[in-house]
C-alpha cells in the first residue's frame, strides 16, 4: 500500500485530495471542522520551514555568486533585469487582485481564521528602521521576515567579501540549502492530508462559493503569467535585444514544455541551457552563468502569484491593506521568490512568509493548496521563459550571441 502511495506523483495525490475533500465537505457539512486539526498540523509544518529555508537559501544564493567585482558586465545587467522584471511581475499580481477582487463576496463569518494581528499603520521611516535586526536571534525566533532577509543578504555579501576565508561557509550554506530542500519535500508529502482536511472544512462551511472564488484565482494566475510572457518578455526580446520574438519563442518551446509539465525550475535547467546555447545562439559561458543565476533568483511567475494570492487572502478574510502594505508585499514577494526553492510546492512556503508579514491569515493556504500544482505549472513555465529572455538580452548587450545560429536553428 505504501509503495503504491509513493508511486503516484505528489501533484496527482494533491488533486485527488482536493476533489475528495470538496465532496466530503459538501456531504458532511459544518461537522467537517472536526478534521480541520489535520490541516492545522500541515500549516504549522509549513510555518516551521520559513525561517531556516529563507535564511540558508538567500545566504547560499548570494555566496555562490562569487566575487561580485568579477561578475562584470554580464552580472550587473542580469541582476538589474531580474530585479526589474520581478518588481513589474509582483505589481501586476497586485493590480489583478485589486481590479478583479477574486476573494470579495465570500462570506467567511462561519470560519474562525485564528489569531490574526490587526494591521498597524506604518510610516516609511518605521518600515526602514524595521529592516535592521537589533537581534538576529530574536528575529529568527519571532519569524520577522524582512529583517531576517536583510540579515541573510548581509551574511551572503560578507561571505563573498571574505573570498577564500569564506569558502568553508559557502559549502556549509550550499549543504544547508540542499538539506532544507529535502526537508521541504518531506513536509510536502503532508500536502494531500492537509488539503483534504482543509478543503473539507472550507467546502463544508462555505459551500460552492469557495470553489467559485478559487476558480477566479486560477484564471487570474494564468492571465498574469500570460501577460508577463506575452508582453514583458516579448518586449525585452523585441526592444532590448532587438531580435525576432517568433524566433525566440520557437527556440525555447522545449524548455517551456518541460517546465510546465514538471513545475520545477531545477529539473528544467539542463533543457533551458541547451535551448539558450543551441537555439538562441548564446555563448556557453553567458548561458551557464545567467540561466543558472536565473533558476536561483528569478521567479517572476512566483512573485506575481504571491502578490495576487496575498490580496486574495486579504479579501477573503476582510483584511484591509494600505499602500505601505503593497510596498511591503512587493519587496517580500521579490525577495521571497529569490528564496523559493526550484521544486514543486515551494511557493506554499513563500506564502507563509508574505501572509504573516501583512497579517493575512494562513488559513488562506487552505483555499490555494489544492490547486497550487495547476497554477505552479504555469508559473514555472513563466520563470523559465524569463530566464531565457534575460539571458538573451544580456548576451546581445555584451555581444555574446550568434544571431545567425539563432535564425538557422529556428528554420530547422
Amino acid at each position: 500500500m505504501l509503495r503504491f502511495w509513493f508511486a503516484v506523483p505528489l501533484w496527482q495525490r494533491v488533486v485527488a485530495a482536493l476533489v475528495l475533500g470538496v465532496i466530503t465537505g459538501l456531504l458532511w457539512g459544518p461537522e467537517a471542522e472536526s478534521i480541520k486539526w489535520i490541516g492545522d498540523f500541515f500549516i504549522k509544518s509549513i510555518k516551521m520551514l520559513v525561517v531556516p529555508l529563507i535564511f540558508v537559501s538567500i545566504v547560499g544564493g548570494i555566496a555562490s555568486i562569487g566575487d561580485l567585482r568579477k561578475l562584470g558586465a554580464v552580472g550587473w545587467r542580469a541582476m538589474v533585469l531580474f530585479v526589474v522584471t520581478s518588481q513589474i511581475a509582483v505589481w501586476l499580481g497586485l493590480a489583478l487582485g485589486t481590479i478583479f477582487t477574486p476573494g470579495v463576496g465570500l462570506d467567511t463569518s462561519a470560519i474562525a481564521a485564528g489569531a490574526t494581528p490587526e494591521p498597524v499603520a506604518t510610516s516609511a521611516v518605521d518600515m526602514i528602521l524595521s529592516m535592521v535586526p537589533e537581534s538576529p536571534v530574536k528575529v529568527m525566533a519571532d519569524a520577522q521576515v524582512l529583517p531576517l532577509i536583510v540579515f541573510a543578504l548581509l551574511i551572503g555579501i560578507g561571505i563573498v567579501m571574505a573570498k577564500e576565508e569564506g569558502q568553508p561557509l559557502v559549502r556549509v550554506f550550499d549543504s544547508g540549502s540542499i538539506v532544507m530542500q529535502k526537508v521541504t519535500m518531506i513536509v510536502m508529502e503532508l500536502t494531500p492530508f492537509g488539503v483534504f482536511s482543509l478543503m473539507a472544512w472550507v467546502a463544508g462551511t462555505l459551500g460552492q462559493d469557495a470553489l467559485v472564488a478559487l476558480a477566479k484565482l486560477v484564471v487570474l494566475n494564468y492571465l498574469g503569467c500570460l501577460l508577463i510572457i506575452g508582453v514583458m518578455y516579448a518586449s525585452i526580446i523585441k526592444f532590448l535585444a532587438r531580435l525576432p520574438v517568433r524566433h525566440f519563442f520557437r527556440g525555447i518551446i522545449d524548455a517551456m514544455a518541460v517546465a510546465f509539465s514538471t513545475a520545477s525550475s531545477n529539473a528544467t535547467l539542463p533543457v533551458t541551457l541547451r535551448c539558450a546555447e543551441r537555439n538562441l545562439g548564446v555563448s556557453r559561458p553567458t548561458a551557464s552563468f545567467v540561466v543558472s543565476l536565473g533558476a536561483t533568483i528569478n521567479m517572476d511567475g512566483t512573485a506575481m502569484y504571491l502578490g495576487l494570492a496575498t490580496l486574495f487572502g486579504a479579501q477573503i478574510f476582510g483584511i484591509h491593506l494600505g499602500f505601505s502594505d503593497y510596498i511591503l508585499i512587493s519587496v517580500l514577494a521579490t525577495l521571497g521568490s529569490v528564496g523559493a526553492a526550484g521544486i514543486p510546492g515551494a511557493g506554499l512556503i513563500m506564502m507563509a512568509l508574505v501572509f504573516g508579514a501583512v497579517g493575512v491569515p494562513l488559513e488562506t493556504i487552505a483555499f490555494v493548496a489544492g490547486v497550487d500544482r495547476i497554477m505552479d505549472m504555469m508559473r514555472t513555465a513563466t520563470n523559465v521563459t524569463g530566464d531565457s529572455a534575460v539571458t538573451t538580452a544580456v548576451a546581445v548587450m555584451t555581444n555574446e550571441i550568434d544571431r545567425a545560429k539563432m535564425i538557422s536553428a529556428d528554420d530547422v
Side-chain angles (χ1 to χ4, degrees), residues 13 104 183 195 212 265 285 352 393:
R13 284 179 270 149
V104 170
V183 174
V195 167
V212 174
S265 298

Side-chain angles (χ1 to χ4, degrees), residues 286-351:
T286 300
S288 298
F289 171 70
V290 181
V291 170
S292 299
L293 182 65
T296 303
I297 71 171
N298 182 49
M299 303 283 179
D300 292 342
T302 304
M304 183 280 300
Y305 176 64
L306 288 175
L308 174 62
T310 304
L311 284 188
F312 177 71
Q315 291 162 4
I316 285 177
F317 291 104
I319 306 297
H320 174 71
L321 299 179
F323 187 70
S324 61
D325 295 309
Y326 278 41
I327 294 177
L328 182 58
I329 293 169
S330 72
V331 173
L332 291 180
T334 300
L335 295 177
S337 64
V338 172
I343 56 177
L348 295 177
I349 312 298
M350 299 305 105
M351 285 184 202

Side-chain angles (χ1 to χ4, degrees), residues 2 7 17 23 51 73 75-76 78 160 180 185 191 204 206 240 259 265 290 306 314 344 352 361 366 387:
L2 191 61
I23 294 174
V51 168
W76 75 262
V160 171
M180 285 309 304
M185 294 174 68
T191 306
L206 302 181
L240 193 58
S265 298
V290 181
L306 288 175
D387 297 341

Side-chain angles (χ1 to χ4, degrees), residues 29-343:
E31 289 77 12
E33 187 173 1
S34 61
I35 62 171
K36 178 179 175 287
W37 68 269
I38 302 174
D40 293 336
F41 183 87
F42 170 62
I43 290 178
K44 287 178 70 69
S45 300
I46 289 179
K47 291 173 64 177
M48 172 187 69
L49 297 179
V50 171
V51 168
L53 182 62
I54 287 292
F55 184 69
V56 299
S57 297
I58 291 182
V59 174
I62 296 296
S64 63
I65 293 176
D67 190 343
L68 298 178
R69 292 174 298 180
K70 292 182 179 179
L71 296 181
V74 173
W76 75 262
R77 283 180 170 87
M79 290 295 294
V80 168
L81 283 175
F82 285 148
V83 171
V84 170
T85 56
S86 292
Q87 277 293 296
I88 294 174
V90 68
W91 280 101
L92 172 62
L94 291 171
L96 291 174
T98 301
I99 295 171
F100 295 101
T101 59
V104 170
L106 187 63
D107 183 10
T108 58
S109 58
I111 290 182
T116 302
E118 291 293 327
V120 180
T122 305
S123 66
V125 174
D126 292 334
M127 185 177 297
I128 293 173
L129 291 176
S130 68
M131 295 170 60
V132 182
E134 295 182 4
S135 169
V137 175
K138 185 176 185 299
V139 163
M140 293 180 182
D142 296 341
Q144 298 176 27
V145 178
L146 192 56
L148 172 66
I149 291 176
V150 172
F151 181 65
L153 290 172
L154 290 174
I155 293 294
I157 294 172
I159 292 174
V160 171
M161 295 175 64
K163 298 180 181 179
E164 292 297 327
E165 289 82 356
Q167 288 306 303
L169 277 181
V170 173
R171 291 189 289 271
V172 168
F173 281 102
D174 282 345
S175 298
S177 181
I178 294 173
V179 169
M180 285 309 304
Q181 288 188 28
K182 300 299 183 184
V183 174
T184 300
M185 294 174 68
I186 294 174
V187 172
M188 287 299 102
E189 289 295 331
L190 300 175
T191 306
F193 305 101
V195 167
F196 172 79
S197 60
L198 290 172
M199 285 308 299
W201 165 59
V202 169
T205 306
L206 302 181
Q208 297 181 0
D209 290 344
L211 306 182
V212 174
L214 195 61
K216 291 180 182 178
L217 180 67
V218 174
V219 171
L220 289 177
N221 175 81
Y222 272 74
L223 175 61
C225 288
L226 290 174
L227 287 174
I228 292 173
I229 293 173
V231 177
M232 183 166 68
Y233 295 155
S235 298
I236 289 175
I237 297 301
K238 183 175 180 62
F239 299 110
L240 193 58
R242 298 184 181 277
L243 292 171
V245 175
R246 176 174 62 89
H247 291 189
F248 168 76
F249 283 111
R250 283 193 177 182
I252 64 165
I253 189 65
D254 289 346
M256 293 179 68
V258 173
F260 188 84
S261 61
T262 63
S264 172
S265 298
N266 289 345
T268 313
L269 185 57
V271 183
T272 310
L273 285 170
R274 187 180 71 235
C275 290
E277 295 174 20
R278 297 183 181 180
N279 299 343
L280 303 181
V282 179
S283 67
R284 182 180 296 273
T286 300
S288 298
F289 171 70
V290 181
V291 170
S292 299
L293 182 65
T296 303
I297 71 171
N298 182 49
M299 303 283 179
D300 292 342
T302 304
M304 183 280 300
Y305 176 64
L306 288 175
L308 174 62
T310 304
L311 284 188
F312 177 71
Q315 291 162 4
I316 285 177
F317 291 104
I319 306 297
H320 174 71
L321 299 179
F323 187 70
S324 61
D325 295 309
Y326 278 41
I327 294 177
L328 182 58
I329 293 169
S330 72
V331 173
L332 291 180
T334 300
L335 295 177
S337 64
V338 172
I343 56 177

